[in-house]
Every structure is written in C-alpha cells, then in structure tokens.
Amino acid sequence: MNIFVHMGSALMLAAIPASSWGAPAAPVQSYDEYRSWLVACDNGLSCTAIGGTGTAMERDYDYDNRIHAADLDSPEKIGRTAGERAVARLGAVKPPTGRYPVLFDERVAGALIGHLLSAINGSAIARGASFLRDRLGKPVLPAGLSLTEDPHRPRIGGSRLFDAEGLPTAPRHIVEDGVLTTWTLDLGTARKLGLESTGNAARGPGSGPHPSVGNIALTPGAAGLDDLIADMGTGLYVTGMIGSTINPNTGDYSRGANGFWVENGRISHPVHECTVAGNLIDMLARIVPGNDGRVHTGRVVPSILIDGLMLAGA
C-alpha cells in the first residue's frame, strides 16, 4: 500500500509501509543423535518514504523488529521518522574529494563489525581467505574495546540454547580489550583447524551446517551522536551505504555512501554519490564508538567515528 501526502508545491512524499510476522521452526540433530527443535517468532514494521519531485527525489526508511509484537515501536513513529529522514536528504550534492573523518551512523555501523565477523568465520579461516587469518591473539580493535556474543539474551531473535548441531551455546568474548581471542566455528571447520567448535553452527532448511554469529555487542563509548559530530570537525556523516568492494584477503574497503556533510562540528547539508575507501585492518584499529547502540537488537553496535578515510566525491 502506498500513501501519498502533499507537503507543498515543491515536495511530494510517498510512504510505503509494511509489516511482517513469522514463526520458523527447524529440526536439529547432532552427530551423536541428539534431536530437538528450534522454534522462534518474529514481528516487524517498516516504512520507506520517498520525497521530492522529478529527478531530485530521495528516499529513506525506518523499521523495527522484535520477538514480541508488544515491544514494537508504533506505526506512527516509524512512518514519521522515515518521512523526516527522506525530507532531510532533499537537495543532496556530492561532497568534496579528500581525506576526512567519517562518522558511520548506528544504522550502518554494524556493517563494519560485520566485516570483522566475516573475517573470523571458520570457513574463511580454513580457506586462508581472511584479512585477519594471522591476527589471533593480536589487537584488532583499540585497547579498552571488546566484542562479545551472548546467545542467551531474553527477547532477542538470535538467542538459542543450542546450535544447529546440538551443541550447547555460551556467552564468549570475540575481542577482549582490543585483542582477537577466538574464531567462529562449527564442528566441520573446527575439525579442519584442529580446534573445538565454539557452538556457532547454523543451518537453513536446505543447507548443511555452517559457522554463524548470533547476538553481539560492541563496548559503547562515552560520547553521544551529537558529541561525535561536534568532535569530528569537518567530514562525512554516513546514514546509508550502497554496494561494496571488499577484498577478503587484504581488507581493502570501498563502499558507496550518502548522508550529511559536517562543517565545524555541525551538520551542514545532505550529500550523496560518494565513495568511502580505506583498509579494514587500519579502520577497525581506529574506531571511536558512541553510546547510541539499540540494546533490543541482536547486533548492539553504536555509531562509529573513524578519522582519515578517503572520500571520492565532486
């Protein structure tokens, strides 16, 4: 269903709402004949808003996903937030080319940590196709930061008492005080590497087990989003990303981005059609997290500021 709202002669706003519900169930059988069922449910609301006219149209979104429908944000809040975000992006231009600080909004910052999680996946390590293959026991994040997995958090979609091979799950430190402490393994990849499974097997209805991470959380910083914007001076505040070119062996990173240009610690104007580039090993070692991670999600990662990334724009 599309909802169209006139907001003046220069602007048309189209809102595309959606809702979802699911209750998937999957059988689990381990190699020692342990059998059980993993049953979960999921409720979601989302809205994509499109603002502007002609070739100057922009879009943005908001959403919420919860185990319990009663925990969902209201449709009115989600719709209003999506509309305000779309309108804020109108009139976007290309940012300048150069080396600037880049602030990744909480909505996209989880993708940075996702690259780290992909690099420590047992499948990648067993193939030798990871930019972190030689970094076990070495710093990968700034000192003081930890990345933890807790599969037992209540009311979170990624929680489970056992993995897809029937092994018990347990909280663990993936990175502790900046140091990488473990890989993510199922029985198959653990056997290839001569290690023990970390209880991280996942599977789909038509696929075999593979290593996967559930609920993770990055140590938050002391600064809020507004403080990070003020601290960055002049640079790019990224709220959306498009496509990616990631070299899994070297960590070379290049992604399309849009968001807002920041001048002297204040948001100046919306920007689009630019590329952010760097190397993930260096980028992860310099992250400065905020304190705005959403604690009800399975990936609690706040906004992240990284200094000195290369921007390609105008």
Side-chain angles (χ1 to χ4, degrees):
M1 177 178 64
N2 294 351
I3 302 173
F4 294 96
V5 181
H6 280 285
M7 299 182 68
S9 59
L11 174 65
M12 173 76 80
L13 183 67
I16 309 171
S19 63
S20 64
W21 177 87
V28 175
Q29 179 172 339
S30 70
Y31 293 115
D32 59 1
E33 299 302 314
Y34 171 82
R35 293 182 176 89
S36 185
W37 280 82
L38 180 63
V39 181
C41 63
D42 179 74
N43 298 273
L45 289 172
S46 65
C47 181
T48 299
I50 304 171
T53 58
T55 59
M57 298 178 75
E58 297 285 349
R59 69 177 180 178
D60 214 317
Y61 68 94
D62 192 26
Y63 73 97
D64 194 19
N65 284 94
R66 306 289 183 112
I67 294 295
H68 295 263
D71 294 339
L72 285 168
D73 287 340
S74 69
E76 293 80 7
K77 178 179 182 297
I78 290 172
R80 177 172 294 277
T81 301
E84 290 172 348
R85 287 172 174 173
V87 170
R89 290 180 56 177
L90 295 176
V93 297
K94 291 184 179 181
T97 295
R99 196 169 292 276
Y100 295 96
V102 175
L103 175 59
F104 295 86
D105 183 73
E106 182 270 339
R107 291 191 289 164
V108 298
L112 284 174
I113 302 303
H115 296 312
L116 185 157
L117 296 174
S118 295
I120 66 167
N121 187 286
S123 297
I125 299 301
R127 296 194 311 269
S130 167
F131 63 88
L132 295 180
R133 59 189 176 274
D134 300 321
R135 307 286 293 189
L136 190 64
K138 299 179 181 178
V140 294
L141 295 178
L145 296 188
S146 295
L147 183 65
T148 57
E149 179 183 21
D150 185 356
H152 299 163
R153 292 175 58 202
R155 302 174 86 95
I156 304 298
S159 296
R160 60 206 65 223
L161 295 176
F162 50 86
D163 73 356
E165 293 172 321
L167 298 180
T169 59
R172 64 184 183 125
H173 278 89
I174 298 172
V175 177
E176 188 169 10
D177 194 19
V179 176
L180 180 63
T181 62
T182 184
W183 307 128
T184 298
L185 305 172
D186 62 358
L187 287 171
T189 54
R191 190 161 49 247
K192 291 178 182 178
L193 296 169
L195 300 170
E196 297 291 327
S197 171
T198 56
N200 283 93
R203 72 195 313 163
S207 65
H210 58 275
S212 180
V213 176
N215 304 324
I216 62 102
L218 177 68
T219 303
L225 178 60
D226 291 341
D227 297 321
L228 291 177
I229 291 174
D231 291 343
M232 69 187 292
T234 297
L236 177 64
Y237 170 37
V238 177
T239 59
M241 309 205 79
I242 305 169
S244 65
T245 302
I246 311 295
N247 187 320
N249 295 299
T250 65
D252 289 338
Y253 173 95
S254 177
R255 293 201 65 181
N258 55 65
F260 298 89
W261 191 247
V262 176
E263 287 277 0
N264 299 319
R266 294 189 176 186
I267 292 178
S268 173
H269 56 271
V271 295
H272 62 180
E273 298 181 9
C274 63
T275 300
V276 179
N279 182 274
L280 285 167
I281 296 175
D282 298 331
M283 291 167 63
L284 291 169
R286 304 200 313 271
I287 66 171
V288 178
N291 62 9
D292 57 344
R294 292 178 295 165
V295 297
H296 67 270
T297 67
R299 184 166 290 190
V300 186
V301 178
S303 298
I304 289 176
L305 176 63
I306 305 177
D307 195 19
L309 295 185
M310 190 66 197
L311 301 185

